[in-house]
Amino acid sequence: MLYGHGLEADFFGCRIVALAGAYGLAQPFVRFWRQSQGAYLACLDGSAVLSGTGTADWEELQAFLPAAGVRSVLCDAAAAVRLPAFPVQADGVVLARMREGGAAVPEHELNPGPRELYSLLKQCETNTFRVPPFEGFYLDLSHRTRHGAAVSVAVRENGGELAACAFSTVQTASLAVISGVAVRPGCRGKGLGSQVVRALQAHLSAPRVCVYRARGENEAFYRALGFQQSASFVELRVLLEQPEPEG
């Protein structure tokens, strides 16, 4: 269903393929759709990813997304233009590079606990980098790690708290996505971010690696590591979050 259409090498399709590989196609909380005109869509707990070509039926997609209960959709910037009913809630660039082979692997810890990773990520939140709710993050990362679909690396400060981490939850035969990199504020300026990115790449088998960044945020850091802009992404808001009922 998902392989054989170039999805595994597409910056958005790879996320769909990786999600199917991690959870299968029969779980009620993760759903997949294929439009005959050339669009693929996956949705996990209301957050969707769209990989669509110019031949897709965009009017149908614009009507389908809210009807399917999608709250937000991540897609290519060109696809977002074809879905004008939905406001932009975030945008940025996709930076990519070929994975290094044979390079020395920096010292690191493999797959530290998700709770520790989450605590470090919370310390590094910014206006454009918001950590998702703990329960969803914990369950998703734990599941993907157990099934070999995710890998995390970290370094500690003097053997204690995590000082820096990097992790990937999206891997296909052609492309891997660096899902997050964080360095504790008090530990910055020591090269730890570069250290964990290089260590993470050593555990990824895909020949190409990419990362999504808000425009201007840490681009210089990734470019210094050999990443170059290869695409632009947009996250569209489809349905507003509904308030919890009182009482």
Side-chain angles (χ1 to χ4, degrees), residues 19 33 40 73 85 88 97 100 118 120 143 159 165 174 201 225:
L19 190 61
W33 298 274
Y40 293 81
V73 60
V88 174
R97 62 158 295 165
E100 290 181 329
Y118 190 84
L120 175 57
H143 175 87
C165 72
S174 302
Q201 289 184 97
L225 291 172

Side-chain angles (χ1 to χ4, degrees), residues 5-247:
H5 300 276
L7 280 180
E8 64 273 10
D10 175 73
F11 291 123
F12 303 91
C14 70
R15 303 175 80 100
I16 298 173
V17 172
L19 190 61
Y23 287 100
L25 303 177
Q27 298 292 345
F29 53 84
V30 56
R31 297 172 292 164
F32 301 88
W33 298 274
R34 176 188 175 187
Q35 188 188 62
S36 60
Q37 291 91 335
Y40 293 81
L41 184 71
C43 184
L44 174 63
D45 293 336
S47 297
V49 180
L50 171 66
S51 176
T53 67
T55 60
D57 187 335
W58 298 100
E59 289 188 6
E60 180 183 70
L61 283 168
Q62 193 159 264
F64 176 77
L65 289 169
V70 172
R71 293 196 303 271
S72 66
V73 60
L74 178 73
C75 61
D76 183 85
V81 172
R82 297 172 179 266
L83 300 169
F86 309 128
V88 174
Q89 63 180 16
D91 69 333
V93 297
V94 182
L95 305 171
R97 62 158 295 165
M98 300 304 293
R99 187 176 64 84
E100 290 181 329
V105 181
E107 182 180 352
H108 65 281
E109 178 180 329
L110 182 62
N111 292 332
R115 291 182 184 276
E116 285 191 286
L117 288 176
Y118 190 84
S119 176
L120 175 57
L121 292 172
K122 286 293 289 184
Q123 295 178 61
C124 300
E125 280 191 319
T126 66
N127 290 335
T128 55
F129 171 62
R130 308 303 299 177
V131 183
F134 172 74
E135 184 176 3
F137 173 89
Y138 180 88
L139 293 174
D140 185 54
L141 183 59
S142 298
H143 175 87
R144 295 193 196 221
T145 302
R146 286 196 308 271
H147 290 82
V151 61
S152 310
V153 301
V155 293
R156 295 183 183 274
E157 184 178 39
N158 300 322
E161 288 186 294
L162 294 188
C165 72
F167 59 98
S168 172
T169 58
V170 176
Q171 301 181 69
T172 70
S174 302
L175 186 64
V177 178
I178 298 178
S179 306
V181 177
V183 179
R184 193 146 48 88
C187 297
R188 293 172 183 169
K190 303 177 182 179
L192 297 181
S194 299
Q195 181 177 334
V196 291
V197 170
R198 293 198 303 270
L200 176 63
Q201 289 184 97
H203 291 280
L204 302 174
S205 58
R208 198 177 190 199
V209 183
C210 72
V211 62
Y212 292 68
R213 300 307 303 160
R215 293 189 184 278
E217 186 171 85
N218 297 334
E219 281 190 52
F221 166 78
Y222 287 103
R223 289 184 186 277
L225 291 172
F227 288 80
Q228 297 294 326
Q229 181 174 343
S230 300
S232 297
F233 75 86
V234 173
E235 186 177 11
L236 301 173
R237 186 173 72 246
V238 179
L239 291 177
L240 293 175
E241 295 282 354
Q242 296 299 316
E244 293 291 333
E246 297 183 2

